[in-house]
């Protein structure tokens, strides 16, 4: 499979009379864009606001992030979700880089939603403060879930995907500034030189613990709760096969933007044929029952062994209960003779003193930490709030609270906030990039 991604590097986003892209300036006709949003009758209110790096803007509750893209052959950028089912990972896609469509609730937040600061102290905690964000601030008539801690957010998430494709089509007929090429040869057809290199498989564990439909990550529109571990081409993952769900404390979340730009895949491609033989992605899942966890771990190890993996990288979306899946897969791979490292965040409590993962094993001895979800973050007021700041405390955002006997409310009267890292939108970046670094003491 050969995927080409034609990149257009956005320097500024503005609203104007016509949709166009010229010399890094992306112009969007707001009315036409909102018409796409209102195609869903459940959307009751919507507006678009540009938030760029350095703006004195706080955005909450953020529900999803998507990179604007289009396919040159006219197919949907998310087959099986926003369009007919079709193969991802082959052909030409155009992408607007340095920007995202952010889906933001106008009022109601939930456990899986997060916060982004575009400047100041808070900006360092998330990559999205570095992007030109086209913020869809919207509300729906989905009364059944407005006050639920867990929300499917379907109308808003799907509106974000339609909007991202609408904006992506602005550059459909243009010549990109750069073309990335990702060619993934069949494992059995590779040269002797490549086959003699150390072989590596990437194991991804997207969020899939909810047995009810509509909360979990999707693979070609299929709820990942229904999956067994599956071997995929890495080009499929970065080309729209995977869609973020709506269930996960937010700093642990993998947004759709993360799947589209998954840095670990890009790094493995960069090393492929030079220092390693990249065998592909084993797309696994996260389960609830112990038997399900053990079954998935067994299948992952079998696939890795069957394709000849010498080593593997395992990344989990989440923490707590998913730690058991994460450690089980690492142990199964090690038992199969596959040397394995893991990528995860930790839940070590506000004081950093608790056990970092729910499940541990001596064979899981090469773990890369992406930070503590419970770390306390205190931030000053921001001039502008997009969405509703009260959502942080009132609606059960995983890092916020209405009141705390020691710390008081998350949202103070002056607009300053205190919260756990949990509520920072995609802050831990377990997929292979981070604004954080580790220090030895």
């Amino acid at each position: 499979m050969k995927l080409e991604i034609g990149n257009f590097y956005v320097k500024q986003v503005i609203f104007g009379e016509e949709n166009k892209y010229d010399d890094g300036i992306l112009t969007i006709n707001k009315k036409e864009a909102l018409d796409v949003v209102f195609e869903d009758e459940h959307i009751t209110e919507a507006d678009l606001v540009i938030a760029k790096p350095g703006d004195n803007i706080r955005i909450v509750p953020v529900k999803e992030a998507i990179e604007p893209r289009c396919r040159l052959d006219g197919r949907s950028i998310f087959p099986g979700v926003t369009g007919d089912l079709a193969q991802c990972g082959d052909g030409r896609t155009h992408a607007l880089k340095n920007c995202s469509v952010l889906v933001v609730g106008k009022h109601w937040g939930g456990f899986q939603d997060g916060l982004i600061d575009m400047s100041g102290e808070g900006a360092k905690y998330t990559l999205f403060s570095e992007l030109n964000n086209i913020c869809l601030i919207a509300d729906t008539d989905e009364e059944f879930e407005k006050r639920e801690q867990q929300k499917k957010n379907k109308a808003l998430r799907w509106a974000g995907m339609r909007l991202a494709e609408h904006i992506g089509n602005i550059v459909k007929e243009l010549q990109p500034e750069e073309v990335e090429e990702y060619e993934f040869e069949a494992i059995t057809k590779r040269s002797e030189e490549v086959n003699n290199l150390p072989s590596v498989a990437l194991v991804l564990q997207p969020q899939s613990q909810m047995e009810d439909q509509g909360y979990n990550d999707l693979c070609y529109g299929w709820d990942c709760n229904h999956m067994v571990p599956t071997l995929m081409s890495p080009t499929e993952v970065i080309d729209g096969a995977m869609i973020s769900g709506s269930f996960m404390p937010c700093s642990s979340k993998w947004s759709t933007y993360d799947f589209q730009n998954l840095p670990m895949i890009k790094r493995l491609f960069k090393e492929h044929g030079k220092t390693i033989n990249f065998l592909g992605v084993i797309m696994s899942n996260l389960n609830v029952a112990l038997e399900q966890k053990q079954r998935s771990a067994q299948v992952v190890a079998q696939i890795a062994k069957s394709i000849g993996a010498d080593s593997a990288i395992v990344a989990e979306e989440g923490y707590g209960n998913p730690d058991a899946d994460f450690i089980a897969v690492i142990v199964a791979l090690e038992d199969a003779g596959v040397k394995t490292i893991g990528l995860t965040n930790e839940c070590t409590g506000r004081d950093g003193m608790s056990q970092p993962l729910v499940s541990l094993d001596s064979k899981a001895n090469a773990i890369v930490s992406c930070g503590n979800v419970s770390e306390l973050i205190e931030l000053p007021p921001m001039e502008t709030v997009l969405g509703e700041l009260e959502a942080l405390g009132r609606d059960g955002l995983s890092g916020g609270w209405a009141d705390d006997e020691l710390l008081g409310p998350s949202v103070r009267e002056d607009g300053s906030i205190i919260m756990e890292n949990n509520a920072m939108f995609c802050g831990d970046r377990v997929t292979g990039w981070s604004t954080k670094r580790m220090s030895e003491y």
Side-chain angles (χ1 to χ4, degrees):
M1 299 179 76
K2 184 176 180 179
L3 172 65
E4 295 181 337
I5 302 178
N7 292 328
F8 299 79
Y9 288 91
V10 176
K11 301 173 186 174
Q12 185 180 3
V13 182
I14 59 175
F15 295 122
E17 290 298 315
E18 60 178 321
N19 294 312
K20 65 179 181 178
Y21 177 86
D22 183 34
D23 194 27
I25 309 300
L26 175 64
T27 305
I28 300 170
N29 181 301
K30 183 188 278 195
K31 181 185 180 305
E32 291 180 10
L34 287 173
D35 285 345
V36 171
V37 171
F38 281 112
E39 286 175 8
D40 189 327
E41 62 183 8
H42 294 292
I43 304 289
T44 56
E45 300 177 72
D47 193 15
L48 298 179
V49 179
I50 307 303
K52 63 183 186 297
D55 282 348
N56 199 330
I57 289 177
R58 176 164 291 152
I59 312 169
V60 65
V62 185
K63 300 174 181 295
E64 169 68 301
I66 309 140
E67 183 171 79
R69 291 187 175 187
C70 69
R71 295 189 196 277
L72 269 61
D73 62 8
R75 289 180 294 132
S76 166
I77 57 172
F78 300 119
V81 180
T82 59
D84 293 338
L85 189 62
Q87 182 70 59
C88 291
D90 207 21
R92 171 70 77 91
T93 294
H94 280 179
L96 287 160
K97 311 304 288 188
N98 299 333
C99 76
S100 80
V101 169
L102 289 183
V103 180
V104 186
K106 187 165 185 177
H107 298 294
W108 302 100
F111 186 70
Q112 67 288 322
D113 299 337
L115 177 144
I116 297 169
D117 274 1
M118 295 304 298
S119 63
E121 174 70 11
K124 72 182 183 184
Y125 289 98
T126 173
L127 181 81
F128 289 96
S129 65
E130 301 173 13
L131 302 181
N132 293 288
N133 296 303
I134 304 151
C135 302
L136 169 59
I137 319 295
D139 200 5
T140 78
D141 65 1
E142 295 164 309
E143 298 292 337
F144 67 95
E145 70 172 11
K146 278 187 175 179
R147 290 172 176 81
E148 292 293 327
Q149 189 182 49
Q150 291 294 157
K151 297 176 174 62
K152 297 180 181 180
N153 287 320
K154 181 174 181 181
L156 296 181
R157 290 162 56 214
W158 261 243
M161 285 186 277
R162 293 195 307 275
L163 179 60
E165 185 163 13
H166 170 77
I167 293 170
N169 274 311
I170 293 172
V171 296
K172 184 175 182 179
E173 305 298 331
L174 302 181
Q175 289 300 311
E177 296 150 37
E178 173 194 62
V179 177
E180 298 177 51
E181 293 185 358
Y182 300 99
E183 189 160 8
F184 190 69
E185 323 98 290
I187 295 172
T188 58
K189 304 296 184 183
R190 296 177 180 179
S191 69
E192 182 179 356
E193 181 182 8
V194 172
N195 282 328
N196 285 336
L197 294 169
S199 55
V200 183
L202 176 62
V203 181
L204 297 178
Q205 296 178 303
Q207 183 51 235
S208 52
Q209 288 186 288
M210 293 291 281
E211 294 181 352
D212 288 344
Q213 296 281 294
Y215 296 98
N216 296 313
D217 293 3
L218 303 177
C219 180
Y220 285 107
W222 184 252
D223 191 303
C224 289
N225 180 262
H226 295 179
M227 289 178 63
V228 293
T230 302
L231 183 64
M232 295 181 68
S233 166
T235 60
E236 293 178 277
V237 179
I238 60 175
D239 192 38
M242 298 298 299
I243 300 298
S244 176
S246 188
F247 169 65
M248 180 41 52
C250 206
S251 72
S252 306
K253 189 184 189 74
W254 299 353
S255 69
T256 299
Y257 182 98
D258 288 302
F259 282 116
Q260 292 173 302
N261 292 279
L262 213 140
M264 189 55 67
I265 285 178
K266 293 190 175 185
R267 180 60 187 274
L268 290 168
F269 260 122
K270 186 177 180 180
E271 297 299 323
H272 177 65
K274 299 174 185 175
T275 62
I276 62 167
N277 179 12
F278 183 23
L279 299 178
V281 174
I282 302 174
M283 192 64 67
S284 187
N285 51 5
L286 297 168
N287 306 283
V288 176
L290 182 59
E291 181 185 356
Q292 295 169 352
K293 297 174 187 293
Q294 293 170 336
R295 183 183 296 111
S296 287
Q298 179 179 311
V299 174
V300 167
Q302 179 275 126
I303 293 173
K305 197 68 177 173
S306 296
I307 62 178
D310 299 315
S311 58
I313 302 166
V314 181
E316 66 166 330
E317 182 184 8
Y319 68 91
N321 188 291
D323 293 344
D325 303 76
F326 176 67
I327 295 297
V329 165
I330 292 175
V331 170
L333 287 165
E334 288 282 343
D335 286 344
V338 180
K339 294 298 182 183
T340 306
I341 68 166
L343 306 177
T344 183
N345 51 17
E346 308 172 46
C347 184
T348 55
R350 292 176 181 177
D351 60 2
M353 300 300 290
S354 299
Q355 178 175 304
L357 303 177
V358 166
S359 176
L360 294 170
D361 191 282
S362 60
K363 293 174 183 175
N365 57 10
I367 304 294
V368 178
S369 171
C370 301
N372 175 16
V373 300
S374 301
E375 177 188 354
L376 284 173
I377 298 172
E378 194 165 0
L379 300 172
M382 297 293 274
E383 183 179 306
T384 301
V385 174
L386 300 181
E388 189 174 57
L389 186 56
E390 288 75 12
L392 175 64
R394 181 194 64 210
D395 299 331
L397 266 63
S398 50
W401 53 85
D403 197 17
D404 182 279
E405 61 179 337
L406 296 177
L407 301 173
S410 275
V411 180
R412 297 161 175 158
E413 290 185 5
D414 66 352
S416 64
I417 60 174
I418 184 169
M419 67 181 203
E420 292 184 356
N421 174 52
N422 258 319
M424 192 61 67
F425 185 75
C426 298
D428 294 334
R429 318 306 289 190
V430 175
T431 49
W433 50 15
S434 180
T435 56
K436 303 174 184 177
R437 66 181 181 183
M438 298 295 292
S439 296
E440 268 190 54
Y441 292 93

